[in-house]
Amino acid sequence: MIEESVKSFREVVIRVPTLRQVEFKGRAHPKLAEILKYVAMGERFFLLVGPAATGKSTIAGQVAEALKTPAYAALAVTATLQREDLLGCRAHNLTTGQVNYRGTPIVEAWEKGGVICLDEVDRGDANTLCCLNSIEQGCLYVPRAADEGGPVAKSDKAIVIATANTYGTGANRTYAGANQLDAAFLDRWRVIEVGYDRDLEVAICGGDSLAKDCVTYLAACRDRADKASIRR
């Protein structure tokens, strides 16, 4: 029943006079249309904030699918993530003595105009993530040269989507592993709240009036638990 509910059809069509029509056929996340509208308006950096299992990472993949981007790069952010994991590193060839740049899927998608998903970004180290502050200027500073790094310009179509369970303010009772993020880093993003897909839950519960009542009751329980800071 769950598999059939997820596969059930929900079409999203975005029409903007100055841009081509964007279509997504499938079980579109309720927030997909909103993000595509912002993309059409020129927005490129999004921070999706919401509880676990609300489909934040799924949204990033659906944005790439809807826009038919040439590349999609997803990276799980953790406290041990290094700058090199994001921007690449200089690789030394012990045989020839040459120093070559070893890139990452993140930089590749940045240049090609793809979608980049930084998953669970509030688990990352605040200082490490500050290496991405230059995205607002449309470039990433990567260590391509042997002696110094250089800027890599962003494709006009590249989109960066970060996901988080918190607003970067640090750990709480539910998300004890979350870190406090730098205000300069957080300032780069359009923040979008992501909740549970009510229609999907109703469909999973059977799709009838009783299912709607059950989901409404569950939603009320969630809200009360959140307000009371109850770990659920």
Side-chain angles (χ1 to χ4, degrees):
M1 184 184 295
I2 293 176
E3 290 179 354
E4 292 302 319
S5 300
V6 171
K7 293 177 181 178
S8 59
F9 184 77
R10 179 194 284 160
E11 182 179 12
V12 172
V13 179
I14 306 297
R15 296 184 177 91
V16 180
T18 57
L19 298 175
R20 68 175 179 83
Q21 179 173 296
V22 175
E23 295 185 5
F24 178 86
K25 294 183 178 180
R27 187 77 199 185
H29 193 283
K31 288 292 181 179
L32 176 61
E34 178 182 350
I35 294 175
L36 290 177
K37 288 178 182 178
Y38 280 125
V39 170
M41 294 164 57
E43 295 279 355
R44 292 294 182 268
F45 310 123
F46 301 92
L47 176 60
L48 310 184
V49 181
T54 49
K56 299 181 293 296
S57 304
T58 299
I59 294 174
Q62 290 187 349
V63 169
E65 185 178 348
L67 297 176
K68 297 178 175 59
T69 57
Y72 176 71
L75 180 65
V77 178
T78 65
T80 58
L81 187 77
Q82 300 296 313
R83 178 178 180 272
E84 290 77 14
D85 298 321
L86 294 164
L87 304 180
C89 63
R90 300 186 184 99
H92 295 262
N93 189 316
L94 298 180
T95 302
T96 64
Q98 292 182 332
V99 179
N100 300 314
Y101 169 71
R102 182 178 296 167
T104 68
I106 301 296
V107 176
E108 181 181 357
W110 176 265
E111 290 185 290
K112 289 185 176 180
V115 171
I116 299 168
C117 176
L118 301 175
D119 203 18
E120 308 286 4
V121 74
D122 55 346
R123 265 58 173 175
D125 177 77
N127 290 309
T128 301
L129 292 174
C130 279
C131 72
L132 299 176
N133 286 358
S134 59
I135 62 174
E136 195 172 44
Q137 285 74 48
C139 68
L140 290 175
Y141 289 95
V142 303
R144 278 188 169 169
D147 299 322
E148 59 183 25
V152 174
K154 181 182 81 68
S155 166
D156 292 338
K157 297 181 180 180
I159 299 169
V160 185
I161 299 176
T163 73
N165 298 129
T166 69
Y167 290 88
T169 54
N172 55 39
R173 293 181 65 183
T174 302
Y175 300 107
N179 293 323
Q180 184 174 355
L181 299 181
D182 192 87
F185 174 81
L186 293 172
D187 191 51
R188 268 62 181 167
W189 313 89
R190 172 172 288 278
V191 179
I192 296 179
E193 294 183 358
V194 179
Y196 293 99
D197 186 343
R198 294 280 190 93
D199 292 339
L200 178 59
E201 290 183 324
V202 171
I204 290 173
C205 293
D208 55 12
S209 58
L210 178 60
K212 293 181 180 179
D213 292 340
C214 289
V215 170
T216 300
Y217 176 75
L218 281 171
C221 291
R222 285 180 187 141
D223 291 341
R224 293 188 65 178
D226 289 339
K227 290 179 181 178
S229 297
I230 296 174
R231 186 168 184 167
R232 54 176 174 81

